[in-house]
């Protein structure tokens, strides 16, 4: 994988988590700006998914197994969109907390992806 992209996705997801966590602290639901932030993080995760699939198709192999790597890649691409959809159902401060949790989850998934690839 590309280390800089993994770092960028992880940092962006933590920034999103902090931003939505602050909205939760202020008793605010997710707003349009939060959804734009979620879109940016999701695009970064999708770029990583595409690069990961291309690297696998090119013959590169992760150190800890292909199946687990693909599972983590798919999970990282789905974490923030899933949290965003759940926050639409809960239009209170808890929607912001859900997105903050999704951002933290994505950051943890990025660390694990880095480990699985052999970083």
């Amino acid at each position: 994988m590309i280390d800089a992209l993994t770092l960028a996705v992880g940092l962006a997801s933590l920034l999103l988590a902090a931003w939505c966590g602050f909205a939760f602290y202020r008793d605010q639901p997710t707003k349009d700006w939060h959804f734009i932030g979620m879109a940016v993080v999701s695009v970064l995760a999708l770029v990583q998914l595409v690069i990961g699939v291309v690297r696998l198709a090119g013959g590169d192999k992760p150190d800890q197994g292909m199946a687990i790597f693909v599972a983590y890649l798919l999970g990282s691409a789905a974490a923030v969109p899933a949290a965003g959809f759940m926050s639409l159902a809960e239009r209170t401060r808890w929607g912001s907390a859900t997105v903050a949790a999704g951002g933290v989850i994505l950051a943890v998934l990025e660390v694990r992806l880095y480990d699985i690839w052999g970083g």
Side-chain angles (χ1 to χ4, degrees):
M1 292 299 295
I2 299 172
D3 293 343
L5 180 60
T6 303
L7 182 64
V9 175
L11 288 177
S13 67
L14 288 176
L15 286 173
L16 177 67
W19 187 22
C20 290
F22 185 67
F24 169 76
Y25 172 75
R26 294 189 56 188
D27 201 21
Q28 296 176 343
T30 50
K31 305 218 166 124
D32 291 342
W33 290 107
H34 295 118
F35 286 100
I36 292 170
M38 285 183 259
V40 169
V41 172
S42 297
V43 166
L44 286 172
L46 286 175
V47 167
Q48 185 179 41
L49 173 69
V50 169
I51 290 173
V53 169
V54 168
R55 298 267 319 252
L56 290 175
D60 290 340
K61 303 274 185 205
D63 286 350
Q64 297 183 17
M66 186 161 326
I68 190 99
F69 179 74
V70 171
Y72 272 91
L73 260 182
L74 293 173
S76 67
V80 171
F85 282 119
M86 289 181 3
S87 76
L88 283 173
E90 183 62 45
R91 298 300 288 176
T92 65
R93 70 186 285 206
W94 293 104
S96 296
T98 302
V99 176
V104 171
I105 289 168
L106 178 56
V108 171
L109 289 172
E110 290 299 312
V111 170
R112 187 68 183 120
L113 271 172
Y114 181 77
D115 284 342
I116 292 169
W117 188 260

